[in-house]
Amino acid sequence: MTDLDDDKRHMFGKYQLKPNSGVNPPYSPAYPVEWGCALRTVEIMTRVAPSKLKTLLADTPFEIVNDRVAFRFMLSPGHSMAVHTGQMFDLMITVPVRYKDLFTETHIFMYCSDPMGICAGREVFGYTKKDAHYAFDERPDGSITGWVKRRGIPLADFSFTPDADAPIVRIVDGKEQPGGEIHVRRLPHPARLETAYADIAYRRTPLKYSAPLAGRATMTLHPCIYDPIADLEPEILGAHFMVSDVYGGGFEVEDRRLIERLTP
């Protein structure tokens, strides 16, 4: 794209690069500060043994709230960081946590279909993002089937069927739900197998989800030594489908904070 007024917008859709945000900044990655899209989410709520969650979050200062883990299969049509493919996909495997005055969530595993989405989320905010391929097939009756693979290796198969009689189980009980996402962001040492520095990053992007559509779900997790999500052995508690026409990032629309420096 050589013309900012090019109606094809091959790179970032309607969004433009801001000062210090791209081409070749004195840091990495070179990512677009602003982005936007719609969001279509199948959320499968599960229960996982607390000892497994404690192990996964042992090197964070976060307080685990309960034994629930949300498997969120998220399709982002029109994502401006994936204009070339028309959409982006994420699988967020998420637990609710508290840290100081924040009631929020952290992703113990996360997979993404787009290189720009991976580097921006992982390097900037400390997400656990890895590369993945996916299927997310919606049918006229509201049912959805899909799968997630990483480098040709199956990780998850899932299905969702609407059912008004099915229970809706959220990630915590009660009216107040956690908001935003918090992670320990780490930079590996260039000469040794250790962390050079670490800090805590928080963000809260705008979301206006529809009321959850109740349903029944199936989910099969495939054993993989490099991506041991099957080791969680989750028990499915419920499932629902939600849509948001508002989802995006940037300093003008989201809460982005560097909470605390941990190392050094």
Side-chain angles (χ1 to χ4, degrees):
M1 185 175 69
T2 58
D3 184 354
L4 285 176
D5 296 321
D6 175 11
D7 59 7
K8 292 187 174 60
R9 298 291 188 181
H10 288 126
M11 191 61 71
F12 301 126
K14 64 181 180 180
Y15 297 93
Q16 297 182 9
L17 293 174
K18 299 294 189 293
N20 294 322
S21 75
V23 182
N24 202 23
Y27 54 80
S28 65
Y31 75 105
V33 172
E34 277 89 21
W35 57 271
C37 58
L39 188 59
R40 307 180 69 79
T41 300
V42 172
E43 181 169 283
I44 300 178
M45 196 60 61
T46 74
R47 178 187 291 121
V48 170
S51 60
K52 298 184 182 217
L53 301 181
K54 184 177 180 180
T55 297
L56 286 167
L57 294 178
D59 57 354
T60 77
F62 308 147
E63 174 192 352
I64 301 172
V65 171
N66 58 23
D67 60 0
R68 291 184 190 170
V69 176
F71 285 74
R72 294 177 179 144
F73 300 87
M74 306 167 66
L75 188 71
S76 302
H79 202 299
S80 58
M81 287 197 289
V83 176
H84 60 298
T85 59
Q87 60 189 25
M88 188 187 294
F89 173 85
D90 291 283
L91 166 56
M92 294 183 179
I93 304 177
T94 302
V95 298
V97 296
R98 293 187 184 274
Y99 184 67
K100 296 186 175 181
D101 62 339
L102 292 169
F103 181 34
T104 182
E105 299 175 335
T106 192
H107 311 315
I108 51 177
F109 295 97
M110 191 171 179
Y111 300 90
C112 181
S113 65
D114 184 76
M116 185 64 70
I118 294 170
C119 69
R122 187 177 58 203
E123 272 60 66
V124 179
F125 296 106
Y127 290 1
T128 52
K129 284 191 177 186
K130 294 181 180 180
D131 54 298
H133 296 287
Y134 70 96
F136 192 102
D137 300 318
E138 297 187 53
R139 297 169 181 164
D141 64 358
S143 63
I144 301 170
T145 61
W147 49 258
V148 182
K149 297 180 181 179
R150 182 165 181 256
R151 304 185 180 187
I153 298 174
L155 296 183
D157 300 288
F158 70 96
S159 70
F160 173 83
T161 303
D163 184 346
D165 295 326
I168 292 180
V169 181
R170 307 306 297 267
I171 200 164
V172 298
D173 293 328
K175 185 176 181 179
E176 183 187 9
Q177 294 293 307
E181 304 152 300
I182 195 168
H183 292 86
V184 177
R185 182 180 64 157
R186 300 176 181 88
L187 179 74
H189 197 288
R192 298 185 295 276
L193 287 174
E194 62 185 57
T195 299
Y197 81 75
D199 48 33
I200 297 176
Y202 172 82
R203 75 185 307 200
R204 186 168 186 166
T205 55
L207 269 176
K208 292 183 179 179
Y209 267 131
S210 60
L213 174 67
R216 309 283 180 179
T218 66
M219 183 171 64
T220 301
L221 304 180
H222 301 281
C224 177
I225 190 172
Y226 300 106
D227 296 278
I229 61 175
D231 291 353
L232 293 172
E233 299 180 310
E235 172 194 354
I236 294 179
L237 303 176
H240 49 270
F241 176 67
M242 301 180 294
V243 176
S244 177
D245 292 327
V246 177
Y247 187 44
F251 292 98
E252 296 180 0
V253 299
E254 66 173 300
D255 182 358
R256 306 158 64 116
R257 294 186 240 164
L258 180 61
I259 301 296
E260 184 179 351
R261 178 60 50 85
L262 299 178
T263 304

